[in-house]
Amino acid sequence: MNSAPTPDASTSIESTVRRSAIVAEELGLLIDGAIGYAIYMLDPEGRVTIWNRGAERMKGWTEAEVVGCDSAMFYTPDDVAAGRPRDDLARAAALGRIEEDSWRLRKDGSEFLASVTMTALRDEAGALRGFGKVIRDVTDQKAAEAAVLRREHHLRSILATVPDAMIVMDERGIISSFSRTAEQMFGHARSAVVGQNVGMLMPASERHGHDAYLRNYLATGVAHVIGSVRLTTAQRADGSTFPIELAVGETSIGGERIFTGFVRDLTNRHETERRMKELQSELVHVSRLSAMGTMASTLAHEINQPLTAIANYLEASRAMIGETQDNLLAEIAEAIELAAAQSLRAGIIVRRLRAFVEGGDTGFRIERLDQLVDEATSLGLLGAHEAGIEVTMTIAAGLDQVLVDRVQIQQVLVNLIRNAIQSMATTPCKRLTIATAPDREGWVRVTVADTGVGLDPGIRDRLFDAFATTKEDGMGLGLSICRTIVEAHGGRIWAEAMTPSGTAFHFCVPLAGDEHV
């Protein structure tokens, strides 16, 4: 037989019921006070059991309209057709909690993007009692985030195409952003520089000065670089330096100063300026060379006439002597014949020079190389014996047929021989070597070597340039003309130092093939 509860027990039960009622009321007020959130409960089948005021404001339905209704009414038609409401309940029951962003419906039929949290509720025995759902309208937030993301992508695309490098740093000079152009310009990966002091991009001589400048600017506000454009020097990852144009701007974000530097590589500009100066200098030389060419053509025309007259006078003098038994007269007659031959040859050289300057027929023909060298040395070696010069000639066998302009190649040889003789004027050892030897297939190499003073290091790289000379009375055109002649034959000319002293000049000319015979 059950006994009635004691007065103390009854009081305790009533107190517990009152506290539960108070807690329920406070919880209801708390839930209804969550203005920005739709909070409601579902039974295990997905029907609405509790509906707060936030849900009413957000979705438009009153509590009376939705309690007992299937929560599928809040899903879009496409989601309902795909079975999404049932799938969400099953997933929440299996996982205990799901969170996602998904489109939901309002009473007026409009859609909004919702941040959904669904939690499965179970009793002490683990049986499913229902589900709690918290919904937040994130349509405007996501639109704002998308707008920010679009602007960020737009800004990045702009910065990626800007030819200037962009570097962002804080007030301590620590890099926080390093553009793609900066990576290419400096040779550093972004990950290697972010978090490092910007001084790593400067030559060692300027790093400490930059940090001191930042400290001084922060302390005094006096700017020397910020807000202006200056020319300075930067350093790449490989240690090489290059000229830059630097512009630095300043802004403040959340009370923190941010400095943005825009860097333009001036290497190409400086190279262009240097090349322009070289071209201007070359233009002056070309103008001078053009004037020399015009003068040479005129001189060749004028000199040819007296040379012809000299040859005629010499031949007439030889004829006047005639045949004689007098040894002295015979020697004079022989000297006159040689002088006449050389004057005629000088005339040919002058005419060829005029044709060369005017761009006329160069007269490429098959010539015997040994005869060509012999004729050139007969003129080039004038005075060599009296100067105490020992001459050695080595003509390689089997290389006697070449396809050249005889007078032009002889001009090269005479020029090289005369230069060699002049270079040995003050040296105790005077040996001149003239030799031919096989070069690459189809070519023969001619060498003129001396034991003179050697090449001047200051002019070695410009040896074959026009107007490059160390002679007090020289114009610097001889070797330049030699190179032009040799290259016109398809060959090349170069010089190398001899041991212990002296210089060897080499040039190549083409051998005559069977097709030329």
Side-chain angles (χ1 to χ4, degrees):
M1 200 174 161
N2 293 330
S3 60
T6 64
D8 292 340
S10 297
T11 303
S12 177
I13 292 172
E14 291 175 0
S15 176
T16 301
V17 170
R18 283 197 304 273
R19 283 199 301 270
S20 296
I22 292 172
V23 169
E25 182 182 1
E26 291 176 346
L27 181 60
L29 291 173
L30 179 62
I31 292 174
D32 285 338
I35 297 175
Y37 293 85
I39 302 174
Y40 54 96
M41 308 290 288
L42 307 177
D43 64 15
E45 301 302 322
R47 292 183 292 267
V48 179
T49 59
I50 297 177
W51 186 257
N52 82 328
R53 290 179 184 176
E56 183 176 327
R57 283 188 294 268
M58 183 180 297
K59 298 194 176 187
W61 286 285
T62 65
E63 184 177 14
E65 291 175 316
V66 297
V67 170
C69 295
D70 194 326
S71 61
M73 65 185 294
F74 307 133
Y75 286 77
T76 64
D78 290 340
D79 284 348
V80 172
R84 179 76 177 273
R86 295 294 119 189
D87 290 342
D88 286 352
L89 293 173
R91 286 192 300 122
L95 300 175
R97 179 188 180 94
I98 60 172
E99 295 181 6
E100 61 185 5
D101 290 342
S102 182
W103 288 97
R104 292 291 188 267
L105 284 179
R106 293 188 177 93
K107 182 179 179 179
D108 61 7
S110 63
E111 297 182 4
F112 67 98
L113 185 61
S115 172
V116 180
T117 301
M118 183 187 295
T119 305
L121 305 174
R122 298 183 181 276
D123 59 19
E124 295 178 357
L128 182 65
R129 292 192 298 110
F131 302 90
K133 296 193 72 170
V134 179
I135 308 293
R136 185 165 58 92
D137 186 350
V138 294
T139 306
D140 293 340
Q141 175 186 332
K142 292 297 182 181
E145 291 176 356
V148 171
L149 188 60
R150 285 195 301 272
R151 288 196 296 270
E152 183 177 348
H153 284 314
H154 188 204
L155 179 59
R156 286 181 179 177
S157 67
I158 293 174
L159 294 177
T161 56
V162 170
D164 295 344
M166 189 191 77
I167 304 168
V168 180
M169 62 182 179
D170 62 18
E171 59 188 20
R172 295 173 297 132
I174 302 302
I175 299 172
S176 59
S177 180
F178 202 66
S179 71
R180 185 181 307 170
T181 303
E183 290 182 312
Q184 297 170 350
M185 183 181 297
F186 288 90
H188 288 288
R190 181 180 181 277
S191 58
V193 298
V194 170
Q196 303 294 322
N197 190 285
V198 72
M200 68 180 295
L201 306 177
M202 305 174 185
S205 58
E206 299 185 18
R207 293 174 188 171
H208 298 298
H210 180 269
D211 290 342
Y213 166 74
L214 269 181
R215 290 192 298 270
N216 181 68
Y217 172 69
L218 294 173
T220 65
V222 178
H224 296 287
V225 177
I226 297 170
S228 62
V229 178
R230 65 188 291 255
L231 303 180
T232 184
T233 303
Q235 180 173 291
R236 296 187 179 91
D238 61 7
S240 61
T241 59
F242 61 104
I244 63 169
E245 182 181 83
L246 174 64
V248 180
E250 178 188 4
T251 188
S252 180
I253 300 178
E256 181 181 358
R257 287 177 172 177
I258 300 295
F259 301 98
T260 303
F262 291 90
V263 182
R264 177 170 297 176
D265 188 347
L266 299 181
T267 302
N268 290 337
R269 183 191 298 182
H270 285 195
E271 178 63 22
T272 300
E273 292 174 353
R274 184 192 65 78
R275 183 56 183 156
M276 285 296 297
K277 291 179 181 179
E278 289 182 354
L279 289 175
Q280 291 173 353
S281 178
E282 290 178 7
L283 182 61
V284 173
H285 285 175
V286 168
S287 175
R288 184 181 177 192
L289 188 58
S290 176
M292 288 296 300
T294 302
M295 186 172 65
S297 178
T298 303
L299 289 174
H301 176 73
E302 297 297 330
I303 292 174
N304 194 55
Q305 293 182 358
L307 285 175
T308 302
I310 291 171
N312 291 336
Y313 284 128
L314 290 172
E315 290 178 357
S317 300
R318 176 66 183 87
M320 291 173 63
I321 293 175
E323 297 295 331
T324 178
Q325 300 298 321
D326 188 316
N327 291 336
L328 179 59
L329 287 177
E331 290 180 0
I332 293 173
E334 181 180 1
I336 290 175
E337 288 180 357
L338 292 174
Q342 292 300 329
S343 64
L344 290 174
R345 183 172 175 278
I348 293 173
I349 292 175
V350 168
R351 286 194 296 275
R352 287 295 187 185
L353 177 61
R354 181 181 179 187
F356 175 75
V357 171
E358 295 178 349
D361 179 20
T362 54
F364 282 65
R365 294 180 179 83
I366 297 176
E367 303 285 353
R368 286 183 57 86
L369 183 59
D370 55 349
Q371 293 180 356
L372 185 151
V373 173
D374 185 64
E375 291 177 2
T377 54
S378 66
L379 179 61
L381 291 175
L382 289 175
H385 178 71
E386 290 77 3
I389 296 175
E390 177 186 344
V391 179
T392 301
M393 293 186 60
T394 305
I395 306 299
L399 302 172
D400 53 342
Q401 299 290 320
V402 291
L403 184 66
V404 296
D405 183 304
R406 179 172 57 87
V407 174
Q408 287 187 11
I409 294 302
Q410 286 180 340
Q411 179 182 349
V412 172
L413 274 168
V414 169
N415 190 293
L416 296 179
I417 291 171
R418 298 309 300 176
N419 284 348
I421 291 174
Q422 292 179 20
S423 73
M424 294 186 288
T426 59
T427 58
C429 178
K430 305 178 188 296
R431 285 199 303 270
L432 176 64
T433 302
I434 303 171
T436 64
D439 198 73
R440 63 186 188 278
E441 184 177 358
W443 294 82
V444 60
R445 181 173 68 253
V446 181
T447 299
V448 177
D450 61 65
T451 57
V453 294
L455 297 174
D456 184 347
I459 202 173
R460 182 174 300 170
D461 294 336
R462 301 182 295 110
L463 196 59
F464 296 96
D465 292 348
F467 309 110
T469 183
T470 56
K471 300 177 183 178
E472 294 182 0
D473 57 349
M475 297 191 66
L477 292 174
L479 290 178
S480 176
I481 292 175
C482 288
R483 182 179 66 176
T484 302
I485 291 174
V486 172
E487 290 181 351
H489 283 73
R492 64 189 184 99
I493 184 171
W494 71 99
E496 61 182 5
M498 300 288 288
T499 303
S501 65
T503 308
F505 281 88
H506 311 276
F507 67 92
C508 298
V509 292
L511 290 168
D514 295 337
E515 68 276 12
H516 301 128
V517 178

